[in-house]
Amino acid sequence: MTLLNEVMHRPLDAGYAEAAARKERGEAPRRTVTGVVALLVLAVVLGLVTVSAARQLRAPQPGVVAARELLVDEIVSRRAQLAERTQTNADLQASIDGLRDEALASTDPDSVAQLTEDGLSNGTIAARGPGIVVKVENGPRADEEPAALVQDSDLQMLVNALWASGAEAIAVNDQRLTSTTAIRSAGSAILVDLVGVSAPYEVVAIGGKNDLETGLARSSAARQLSALGSQYGIKTSVSTRDEMTVPAGPTRVLFSAGPVGKDNGEG
């Protein structure tokens, strides 16, 4: 209660009250030139010390910079290795397919034709033909506004609309979509079959040009992309091509699925 009484009845500290009383009586000490100069010097020194401390705190430490550069070099090196080994795998797979077709050509040519057709359907061999290219770009404020970034769900919706419109082969930034391909996000990055892709996103769809263009224009994906463009500045453009090529996708090994009528190894 004593503390409450002091706060209620004597809110001003005694020292401040005495200084205020002296000022009212004209007894307040006058500031001298020396005092003003000393005060200014002290303010400048404190400001310089504060700025210097702030710069030291904001400046990256040498150890952090070196570790970051080492990590960047490691990432670049690993990406180069991945690209090299991916190409090696593709070349070996093409060689295997060629030897297989050569061996079957004389004994079972129908099987060669069936394997080629199956490869086109499941995306394990490259395909070419007419079609359309849909290019989707982030909005101009993507660095400041996350909603202006193209999301994995936007690409999923676009790809599904193209399949529904009659697409026979699709690739996103040269990543072929197969029967097991997933488009998803990992943080702010978008992965297509576990391979990172970045904007602008170029979706290539092979099929009937008129059917693809008309089907996409009538789909809910077109309306959604139009709304994203109006609200966040995400740009979408569609162009047709008479001849395009999409690369082959990776060959998948099935561990659980098998043809009907055969034992799949389950107990």
Side-chain angles (χ1 to χ4, degrees):
M1 293 298 293
T2 303
L3 178 60
L4 292 177
N5 287 330
E6 288 289 333
V7 171
M8 293 293 295
H9 301 293
R10 299 179 59 186
L12 189 63
D13 184 84
Y16 287 107
E18 183 179 354
R22 287 200 306 267
K23 187 176 181 180
E24 289 181 357
R25 296 193 301 266
E27 299 175 359
R30 295 182 179 179
R31 290 184 178 180
T32 62
V33 175
T34 304
V36 173
V37 171
L39 183 61
L40 291 175
V41 171
L42 179 61
V44 171
V45 170
L46 291 177
L48 292 175
V49 171
T50 303
V51 171
S52 176
R55 287 182 175 177
Q56 292 180 2
L57 290 174
R58 291 178 62 88
Q61 299 299 319
V64 175
V65 174
R68 182 179 300 171
E69 291 178 352
L70 180 62
L71 181 59
V72 170
D73 293 341
E74 185 71 16
I75 292 173
V76 172
S77 175
R78 294 293 184 180
R79 283 182 175 175
Q81 292 179 8
L82 176 61
E84 181 181 355
R85 293 178 182 180
T86 300
Q87 185 60 45
T88 300
N89 287 339
D91 294 340
L92 291 174
Q93 186 62 48
S95 178
I96 292 172
D97 292 343
L99 293 173
R100 178 202 63 198
D101 295 344
E102 184 180 350
L104 291 174
S106 58
T107 59
D108 193 356
D110 292 339
S111 295
V112 177
Q114 184 63 48
L115 288 171
T116 301
E117 184 177 348
D118 292 342
L120 283 172
S121 299
N122 59 35
T124 56
I125 64 175
R128 67 178 181 180
I132 66 173
V133 178
V134 184
K135 189 175 182 180
V136 186
E137 303 180 56
N138 291 329
R141 296 178 58 83
D143 294 337
E144 306 171 3
E145 191 175 8
L149 290 169
V150 178
Q151 306 294 326
D152 57 333
S153 57
D154 302 328
L155 293 181
Q156 292 171 6
M157 177 180 57
L158 173 59
V159 166
N160 289 336
L162 291 172
W163 285 128
S165 300
E168 299 172 3
I170 297 178
V172 179
N173 284 20
D174 291 330
Q175 296 300 316
R176 178 74 173 274
L177 303 189
T178 68
S179 57
T180 57
T181 299
I183 300 176
R184 56 188 177 183
S185 62
S188 59
I190 295 180
L191 304 180
V192 178
D193 207 10
L194 299 181
V195 177
V197 295
S198 58
Y201 303 99
E202 190 173 80
V203 182
V204 176
I206 292 180
K209 294 185 296 183
N210 293 335
D211 293 339
L212 290 174
E213 197 169 17
T214 303
L216 178 61
R218 293 177 177 175
S219 68
S220 59
R223 294 190 292 272
Q224 178 69 15
L225 290 172
S226 177
L228 291 175
S230 301
Q231 189 168 2
Y232 301 111
I234 293 177
K235 297 180 180 179
T236 304
S237 60
V238 180
S239 60
T240 61
R241 305 279 177 84
D242 293 329
E243 185 77 14
M244 298 185 300
T245 301
V246 294
T251 302
R252 296 297 186 185
V253 177
L254 301 181
F255 295 97
S256 302
V260 176
K262 291 188 177 181
D263 185 9
N264 294 336
E266 295 183 358

